[in-house]
Amino acid sequence: MTLVLPGVDTLPPEPLRQTALSQWFTPQPLADRIARWAAQAVPLGQVLEPSAGSGVFVRAANAAGASSVTAVEIDPRYAEPLRSQHSPYRFSLRDVPQCEVCCGDYLAMLAPAEIYDTALMNPPYEGGLDGKFLAKAMDESRRVVALLRLDALGGKDRHERVWSQIGALLGVLAGNGYGLAGLVVLVKRPDFGGEHGAMGDYCVVDLRRGWTGDTRVEWWT
């Protein structure tokens, strides 16, 4: 289990940190439902959570049968408690999957030696970070399951980074192209707390390498 702390000067000042780091965390019941939905189709396997926050998707992945979890969180205020919660001295391997917690900027991290089976996340949105997180996770995972704002499906930058890869014939033939295996539209907006519980509408996407089948579409009330 690893904890790598970034320099304090790399983080926004305290009054700006929540907005600058897009710290609006997914309600645990919704994260649990997303993880179960993903695991029903394909086992989660080795999971990457690139914007772990307080650990809602880490807990959801554990409960849904992940074999291991690598969690990345830029803010030490959340990374350190998350590391402590998943200390091997508190749990046996029989109780929870192996969990590695890294404190740092996911976008600045080197790619892993071996790709993950599943990236499971609610990426940050400010400044177009959602598209950057999705693109990097797609490079490093066989599958990406993400909670997104509906408007994240549009936009030129996101299209170039992410959505242009979906169903691209050359990529599929090469074995590294992605398909949209699942799409969930949330009828009700998630409650992220504060004013941000009412900003925009949301969806969940299931992106898989080499997927050429139909897209399963659901509406969750």
Side-chain angles (χ1 to χ4, degrees):
M1 189 172 300
T2 305
L3 183 70
V4 181
L5 296 176
V8 175
D9 59 345
T10 66
L11 295 173
E14 184 68 30
L16 304 177
R17 193 173 295 187
Q18 186 177 35
T19 299
L21 299 182
S22 196
Q23 292 174 330
W24 315 108
F25 301 142
T26 309
Q28 189 68 60
L30 177 57
D32 291 339
R33 186 176 185 182
I34 292 170
R36 289 195 304 268
W37 174 79
Q40 286 172 357
V42 180
L44 297 179
Q46 296 176 315
V47 171
L48 164 70
E49 216 297 31
S51 53
S54 61
V56 291
F57 275 110
V58 173
R59 293 186 287 275
N62 289 344
S67 59
S68 67
V69 180
T70 298
V72 182
E73 170 54 38
I74 194 171
D75 193 333
R77 297 178 306 171
Y78 294 104
E80 176 60 31
L82 187 60
R83 183 196 64 81
S84 298
Q85 292 165 16
H86 293 276
S87 167
Y89 300 105
R90 293 191 59 192
F91 301 97
S92 70
L93 292 179
R94 180 176 292 182
D95 293 325
V96 295
Q98 178 183 356
C99 182
E100 179 182 23
V101 178
C102 303
C103 185
D105 181 356
Y106 171 66
L107 296 179
M109 290 184 170
L110 297 176
E114 297 183 6
I115 65 174
Y116 300 95
D117 295 311
T118 306
L120 182 64
M121 60 176 168
N122 171 12
Y125 301 104
E126 275 74 9
L129 286 175
D130 53 340
K132 296 176 182 179
F133 269 70
L134 281 171
K136 183 171 169 60
M138 289 168 70
D139 286 340
E140 299 176 355
S141 310
R142 295 182 178 88
R143 180 189 190 195
V144 175
V145 177
L147 174 65
L148 302 173
R149 288 177 180 163
L150 269 175
D151 60 14
L153 301 180
K156 182 178 179 181
D157 182 70
R158 294 186 187 94
H159 177 76
E160 291 176 349
R161 290 180 182 274
V162 178
W163 307 118
S164 61
Q165 300 183 54
I166 305 303
L169 180 60
L170 291 179
V172 171
L173 292 176
N176 57 8
Y178 269 82
L180 180 60
L183 172 66
V184 173
V185 178
L186 303 185
V187 175
K188 296 180 180 179
R189 294 170 176 172
D191 182 7
F192 297 113
E195 298 178 357
H196 289 260
M199 291 183 62
D201 296 302
Y202 285 78
C203 65
V204 182
V205 295
D206 179 358
L207 309 176
R208 298 187 213 168
R209 287 196 185 197
W211 180 261
T212 57
D214 295 331
T215 303
R216 55 174 178 157
V217 181
E218 302 178 22
W219 284 262
W220 289 357
T221 56

